[in-house]
Amino acid sequence: MQKIWDRAVHFLSANESRIRTETQKIKGADFLVWRWIQPPLSCDKSKVWQGKAFPLDRRNSPPNSLTPCLKIRNMFDPDMEVGDSWDLAIQEAILEKCSDNDGIVHISVDKNSKEGCVYVKCLSAEHSGKAFKALHGSWFDGKLVTVKYLRLDRYHQRFPQAQGCNTPLKASSLHQNPTNTIPCLLQHGPLNSSGFS
């Protein structure tokens, strides 16, 4: 077992930047312990992707998507967010992470979600599969992001305005909306209380 333990310690020290080792006295003896390093709290509250927690394979990623809609959890903590437009930073971060995916057509941040939920609709199941692979199992702002697929009819039940969304969104579309039209990215319909996930 010592060989396995040594390999695990070596792997963590070589690959995990969010853990540091330090010596700590426990009952008078010195022990080497691991300490989790929290992400720094910056005053500008910029949101940062921090890499993958695990590789995706058939055990933790469906082989293909049957729906173009996603529910993303753990993108934020509503009690910790400040300002009126923090949700735009969340939307921007998702679009940046999925920048090679030209199929995201609607994003809605549930600002009251205790689970930090964001809902995404793509042009096709293929596009949602790409978004799933880019986001699921990633660290974002110190939180492990998880993604699951949602049925299209349930998505449209919650976000009726998303039915007409068919123009792919880009990260810059948050800042390049010169007219008074509201892109599908910024439409926040009232959240219903149907309780579906």
Side-chain angles (χ1 to χ4, degrees):
M1 292 304 282
Q2 186 63 43
K3 283 184 182 180
I4 294 171
W5 179 253
D6 291 342
R7 282 185 21 219
V9 169
H10 176 72
F11 177 83
L12 285 174
S13 65
N15 296 300
E16 185 53 73
S17 62
R18 293 160 298 176
I19 295 177
R20 74 166 186 249
T21 57
E22 59 186 45
T23 304
Q24 203 173 70
K25 275 206 186 296
I26 302 173
K27 294 187 179 182
D30 286 339
F31 287 92
L32 191 62
V33 297
W34 287 326
R35 175 148 333 256
W36 182 259
I37 302 171
Q38 292 292 344
L41 293 175
S42 61
C43 48
D44 67 352
K45 289 296 285 176
S46 61
K47 303 294 183 181
V48 181
W49 290 102
Q50 299 157 314
K52 285 284 197 181
F54 49 83
L56 293 180
D57 58 29
R58 66 182 109 107
R59 290 172 293 169
N60 57 22
S61 175
N64 45 27
S65 167
L66 301 175
T67 173
C69 304
L70 302 171
K71 179 179 184 177
I72 306 163
R73 286 190 174 105
N74 244 359
M75 286 295 298
F76 60 90
D77 178 351
D79 298 328
M80 301 299 292
E81 304 301 334
V82 293
D84 293 331
S85 59
W86 59 264
D87 56 317
L88 297 180
I90 301 295
Q91 294 171 345
E92 182 82 10
I94 289 171
L95 290 171
E96 286 174 1
K97 183 74 171 171
C98 300
S99 61
D100 63 340
N101 184 350
D102 59 355
I104 296 175
V105 296
H106 179 264
I107 298 177
S108 182
V109 175
D110 183 350
K111 293 174 91 169
N112 299 314
S113 169
K114 294 295 183 192
E115 294 181 312
C117 292
V118 179
Y119 297 87
V120 172
K121 180 183 174 189
C122 298
L123 279 173
S124 68
E126 180 183 345
H127 287 100
S128 69
K130 287 181 186 178
F132 182 100
K133 287 178 174 79
L135 298 167
H136 185 67
S138 294
W139 291 100
F140 180 72
D141 202 33
K143 294 178 250 350
L144 180 60
V145 173
T146 60
V147 182
K148 73 178 216 173
Y149 292 101
L150 288 178
R151 290 189 349 233
L152 182 61
D153 62 329
R154 299 295 290 238
Y155 195 93
H156 286 161
Q157 178 185 359
R158 186 171 188 135
F159 307 106
Q161 72 276 15
Q163 292 182 41
C165 295
N166 56 15
T167 303
L169 302 170
K170 299 290 181 195
S172 60
S173 65
L174 286 172
H175 307 293
Q176 295 179 354
N177 187 22
T179 66
N180 289 331
T181 61
I182 298 176
C184 289
L185 178 69
L186 300 176
Q187 290 181 354
H188 296 285
L191 296 176
N192 66 28
S193 58
S194 65
F196 72 85
S197 60

